[in-house]
């Protein structure tokens, strides 16, 4: 059976790709390396969700030894906070580490569950995955897993896996709640200017 080191961004995103790979007689070994996920409690929750996926689907996993990586991720970003540019850095650092790990383990092919998300920059992930694989003399398993978006959601509901409300980094959390935070900011501003500091 062919083996693939599958970078896993989170538990729910792994469900559909793992199912598809198994249907093709490929057994993925899951690799969790995501220093982009903040804050710590959210990171911990996603680790627990992936452990649950692993238990419920018999998926073998390996974890990156560095664990929670806020500083590492911010260092890699070098101050880039704009969506798009920062995501390219974020994809690349995770996929390069996946390629490094695969090389060390003697696994010839890598892939990523990032290819499942409708909200990611799909072509950029494919390009980054191919470049990282090539750099380490590996293959990149590409498939447009987005076609199974709804199926993956249904499976995660059946298995009662935690589904996170934002991509992972603190900037994506800000963007997720931007409208709500603008409304709150407006209220705070009005209260401070008009009512002497009292919230309505
Ligand atoms: S939005 Fe997601 S992919 Fe983009 S930088 Fe943040 S965590 Fe990484």
């Amino acid at each position: 059976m062919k083996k693939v080191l599958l970078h896993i961004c989170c538990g729910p995103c792994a469900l559909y790709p793992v199912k598809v790979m198994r249907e093709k007689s490929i057994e993925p070994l899951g690799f969790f390396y995501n220093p982009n996920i903040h804050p710590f409690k959210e990171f911990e929750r996603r680790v627990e969700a992936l452990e649950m996926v692993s238990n419920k689907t018999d998926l073998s996993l390996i974890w990156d030894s560095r664990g929670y990586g806020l500083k590492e991720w911010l260092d890699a970003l070098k101050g880039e906070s704009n969506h798009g540019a920062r995501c390219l850095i974020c994809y690349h650092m995770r996929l390069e580490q996946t390629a490094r790990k695969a090389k060390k383990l003697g696994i010839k092919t890598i892939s990523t569950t990032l290819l499942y998300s409708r909200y990611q920059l799909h072509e950029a992930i494919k390009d980054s995955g191919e470049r990282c694989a090539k750099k380490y003399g590996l293959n990149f398993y590409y498939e447009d897993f987005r076609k199974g978006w709804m199926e993956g959601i249904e499976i995660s509901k059946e298995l009662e896996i935690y589904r996170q409300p934002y991509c992972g980094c603190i900037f994506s959390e800000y963007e997720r709640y931007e409208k709500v935070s603008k409304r709150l900011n407006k209220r705070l501003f009005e209260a401070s200017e008009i009512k002497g500091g009292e919230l309505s």
Side-chain angles (χ1 to χ4, degrees):
M1 188 176 270
K2 191 176 168 186
K3 206 165 195 181
V4 170
L5 188 65
L6 177 65
H7 165 258
I8 294 183
C9 58
C10 62
C13 283
L15 293 165
Y16 181 76
V18 167
K19 175 179 174 281
V20 169
M21 285 183 167
R22 283 176 171 166
E23 283 166 0
K24 294 183 175 179
S25 298
I26 297 168
E27 186 51 39
L29 171 61
F31 176 53
F32 186 85
Y33 171 66
N34 299 290
N36 55 312
I37 301 169
H38 317 128
F40 174 72
K41 292 308 281 183
E42 178 67 23
F43 181 80
E44 185 180 49
R45 207 167 173 195
R46 293 192 197 186
V47 165
E48 286 164 2
L50 181 56
E51 284 175 320
M52 209 164 154
V53 167
S54 168
N55 290 336
K56 292 191 175 192
T57 64
D58 283 328
L59 176 68
S60 298
L61 288 178
I62 48 173
W63 308 88
D64 187 85
S65 57
R66 282 161 292 183
Y68 182 58
L70 172 64
K71 283 187 182 171
E72 180 191 350
W73 189 78
L74 288 175
D75 284 350
L77 243 53
K78 295 193 177 85
E80 181 59 73
S81 61
N82 289 322
H83 183 262
R86 74 164 194 261
C87 299
L88 299 191
I89 299 168
C90 184
Y91 299 145
H92 203 75
M93 78 182 289
R94 289 185 279 167
L95 292 172
E96 174 138 27
Q97 183 60 13
T98 307
R100 241 183 249 130
K101 180 61 92 177
K103 189 81 184 170
K104 208 170 163 187
L105 295 171
I107 298 174
K108 303 258 180 290
T109 306
I110 60 167
S111 191
T112 175
T113 58
L114 289 164
L115 294 169
Y116 165 76
S117 175
R118 281 183 178 176
Y119 298 106
Q120 304 293 345
L121 304 169
H122 192 86
E123 289 305 317
I125 294 163
K126 181 173 183 262
D127 177 63
S128 183
E130 285 170 351
R131 280 189 292 124
C132 290
K134 194 173 173 196
K135 184 174 170 184
Y136 290 86
L138 308 169
N139 304 306
F140 183 65
Y141 175 100
Y142 170 74
E143 182 147 350
D144 189 349
F145 294 121
R146 292 175 297 182
K147 58 182 181 280
W149 179 251
M150 284 314 298
E151 191 178 336
I153 290 175
E154 288 310 318
I155 304 170
S156 69
K157 285 180 182 167
E158 272 166 36
L159 299 179
E160 299 180 330
I161 308 296
Y162 164 65
R163 297 187 61 79
Q164 63 271 7
Y166 61 96
C167 184
C169 65
I170 203 70
F171 302 112
S172 63
E173 196 262 2
Y174 173 80
E175 287 154 5
R176 166 69 177 78
Y177 296 109
E178 204 171 4
K179 277 190 189 152
V180 184
S181 68
K182 274 185 180 159
R183 281 201 293 274
L184 178 62
N185 288 349
K186 189 166 174 279
R187 282 178 61 212
L188 292 170
F189 176 77
E190 286 169 358
S192 68
E193 290 291 305
I194 302 164
K195 295 177 187 167
E198 275 179 38
L199 273 183
S200 54

